[in-house]
Structures are given as structure tokens and as C-alpha cells.
Amino acid sequence: MQVHRDLQHLPVFRNAVITIGTFDGVHTGHQYILRQLQEAAAACNGETVIITFDPHPREVLAPHDKSVHLLTTLDEKIHLLEKFGIHHLVVVPFTKTFSELSATAYLEDFLISTFRPHTIIIGYDHRFGHNREGGLELLEAEQQRYGFRLLEIPQQVVHDLTVSSTKIRKSLQEGATALADELLGYPYFINGTVVHGDKMGRKLGFPTANIQLHDRRKLIPAQGVYAVTVSVGGQWHKGALNIGTRPTFNGSELRIEVFILDFDTEIYGEAIRVDFLEYIRSDKKFDSVEALVQQMKDDVHQARTITSRP
């Protein structure tokens, strides 16, 4: 997959079959669109082109709203999209000026002029242009004039829920990891760097790797304990991860710590990836350190059982 970040130096696409969106999470709904993209391109001997935006539009349109949490950073999104055999990903810088294009200008001066699409594939609720004034109806009205084919993707439903990035975020924030993973089509994951902590886990008999996220905008799931798998140096391991403030020790700083099972290697400064498999329990304050240690033993046993399932 070729990644393009400069709109002034794009190649001439062959029978471009395009789709547009933030594609945050590259979830099962997005994956359905990608399959339709590939089928349409194969039918016209064309190239698949995904148009996405960076930063996330909400960060530009509502800069003071700190509630924007990404399921996937741009690098993670690129990594996921590469697996689908897409020919081109065009990363469009999303600016205030770009957001103020009228729907007609967006269509004529951006989509048509820049990409000369053979086919445009969009979701049933896709909106574009200033104040989201454009949509399916405008594309339908203009497709004959500009000579492109239009394909609409209907709602995709999993367990009677419309698949959307918003629903996945909500599921993760409620600890519903299994549902989020089903909607995503893969385990939710975070990427970060192992940093030094206060070694409290080591003192309790459970040395943990403290994780500093690579991108502060990345969504952190609900506080609590999770069964996870962990990738360090390209090798995968089983683990138990805790997200919390250490209430037993009257802590206040949110920490992400993972205990890697059957692992005894110093990895400070190394990149680490954690895949969330199952939520075990919520974060809580224990009456004693002994009670906490016993619970940690139970958590690790449960995490080992979960991560050992075929």
C-alpha cells in the first residue's frame, strides 16, 4: 500500500475506486467497505484509494474538547489497512479552511479534481462539506455530470448494534472488551514504551512493566484488570494488565501496568504492544496489602486461564 501525504504530488490513479472517512479503528463495518472497494476495483481494472484525514476532524472543529479518544493512531491505522491489500491511502491534512469548503466545492474541487474517481463508495450516513451539508443525495444528483459510479454501503449490524467507532469507544470505556473486540474484528490494542515506575509491583512479587502510551489521544479502556497478550521485541507473551490509580496505596495518578507471565527480562525503554482479551474485574481498594496480593494471584491465574484458551 502506498501512503500519500502530499495532495500536490499524487500519482494518476487508474480507474480510481475511492472511499472517504476517518476509519478510526478499521472495524468490521470499515472492513465491509474495504471488501466492496476491492470487488469494485477488480470489476473495472481499477485501483483502490482510501481518503482519510489527520488530525481527526473533531480535534480541529472542537479544539477545546478533550474527549476525543482515538481507537487507532494514524500509524496504527496504516498498519491495519495494509493487511487488506489496498493500493493507495491518501492522508489529507484536516484544517479549519478545509472544513469550510461547501459540499459542492468539496465534490468539485477536491474529490473530482484531485482523484477523478471511476467509483465512489460511501457509507449510508456519510456527510461532507461545511456543516456536513453534503451527502448521498448530492452525489446521486451529480454522478451523471461527472461520470462516476456511486455505491452506497448499508448499515452493518452485529448483535443488533450498528457497528460504529462511537459504540466501540463506549464498550471499551465500560469494560466490555469482548463486545468491542467483536465489533472491531480483532483485539483492541495499545502501543507504548516501557518506563520506570516505583517498583511497587516488584515488592509485591509481581514485577510489572509500566506503559507510557505513544499517543496521548489513544483511548484507554475502563479502569480494572484485564487478561492480555503482550508483544515485546516481536515475541508474544501472556499477561495480566491493570489500569488504575493504586487505590490501596491512596494513589491518584492513572497508570497502565502489565505483569508478563513467565517473563524475567529487563525491557525499560522498549516498545510494547498489549492486546486486550477479556475484562477480569474493576479496580478497587483493598483493606490490606495481603488481601491485594491474594487478589493479584487470583487475577494472574484467571489471566493465564483466559489466554490459554484455543
Side-chain angles (χ1 to χ4, degrees):
M1 182 176 75
Q2 296 182 43
V3 180
H4 309 279
R5 301 171 188 262
D6 184 353
L7 295 183
Q8 305 305 315
H9 296 91
L10 292 176
V12 176
F13 302 116
R14 183 186 72 253
N15 291 340
V17 178
I18 71 172
T19 190
I20 313 106
T22 56
F23 283 85
D24 188 25
V26 194
H27 56 60
T28 53
H30 295 142
Q31 292 166 29
Y32 181 90
I33 293 176
L34 298 182
R35 290 193 293 272
Q36 299 301 306
L37 199 71
Q38 291 171 317
E39 289 179 11
C44 68
N45 190 30
E47 293 183 289
T48 50
V49 182
I50 294 177
I51 302 167
T52 193
F53 307 99
D54 188 65
H56 192 288
R58 280 176 56 193
E59 293 182 80
V60 174
L61 300 178
H64 301 297
D65 180 3
K66 301 305 179 184
S67 65
V68 178
H69 298 294
L70 302 178
L71 296 173
T72 45
T73 66
L74 179 58
D75 286 344
E76 292 168 351
K77 188 190 305 183
I78 291 171
H79 173 71
L80 289 168
L81 288 172
E82 282 177 335
K83 298 178 180 180
F84 289 90
I86 300 302
H87 294 116
H88 302 276
L89 174 68
V90 180
V91 182
V92 178
F94 194 89
T95 63
K96 192 74 165 62
T97 300
F98 183 82
S99 75
E100 292 171 350
L101 285 176
S102 68
T104 299
Y106 177 97
L107 174 60
E108 295 179 351
D109 301 334
F110 175 60
L111 285 187
I112 303 300
S113 175
T114 305
F115 299 95
R116 304 189 183 283
H118 175 282
T119 302
I120 298 176
I121 299 179
I122 60 168
Y124 70 100
D125 59 349
H126 182 75
R127 308 299 300 178
F128 57 87
H130 187 56
N131 291 328
R132 295 169 56 85
E133 61 189 13
L136 187 67
E137 65 284 348
L138 177 59
L139 293 174
E140 287 176 334
E142 298 292 351
Q143 64 177 327
Q144 186 171 354
R145 176 183 177 187
Y146 292 111
F148 61 82
R149 182 178 176 226
L150 179 64
L151 294 178
E152 177 199 359
I153 302 298
Q155 292 181 346
Q156 299 306 302
V157 178
V158 176
H159 290 325
D160 297 323
L161 287 175
T162 303
V163 179
S164 71
S165 299
T166 300
K167 282 190 169 60
I168 295 168
R169 292 188 195 99
K170 186 173 185 292
S171 297
L172 290 168
Q173 290 166 337
E174 294 174 351
T177 316
L179 175 59
D181 289 355
E182 185 171 3
L183 296 173
L184 284 167
Y186 59 86
Y188 182 70
F189 62 90
I190 58 173
N191 282 294
T193 301
V194 179
V195 298
H196 286 277
D198 54 16
K199 311 295 191 295
M200 181 60 71
R202 186 177 300 277
K203 296 172 185 175
L204 298 176
F206 296 91
T208 57
N210 287 264
I211 303 172
Q212 183 177 78
L213 295 181
H214 287 161
D215 193 319
R216 61 174 179 76
R217 299 170 299 169
K218 180 77 172 181
L219 184 143
I220 300 174
Q223 294 187 35
V225 178
Y226 296 82
V228 299
T229 53
V230 186
S231 176
V232 183
Q235 298 294 317
W236 284 95
H237 309 271
K238 302 170 183 177
L241 177 137
N242 182 74
I243 299 172
T245 58
R246 296 183 170 186
T248 303
F249 302 100
N250 299 314
S252 58
E253 179 186 354
L254 186 70
R255 299 192 184 200
I256 306 173
E257 304 172 273
V258 62
F259 174 65
I260 306 174
L261 278 61
D262 310 315
F263 186 82
D264 188 24
T265 303
E266 190 169 296
I267 53 174
Y268 293 116
E270 291 198 30
I272 189 171
R273 166 173 162 163
V274 176
D275 284 18
F276 289 76
L277 302 185
E278 193 169 311
Y279 184 71
I280 294 176
R281 66 171 176 86
S282 61
D283 197 28
K284 60 178 290 188
K285 183 172 184 175
F286 290 86
D287 295 332
S288 67
V289 173
E290 291 75 19
L292 169 61
V293 170
Q294 182 56 53
Q295 182 62 63
M296 291 171 71
K297 290 179 181 177
D298 294 342
D299 294 340
V300 169
H301 175 74
Q302 194 166 347
R304 187 184 294 277
T305 299
I306 293 168
T307 54
S308 297
R309 291 173 185 164

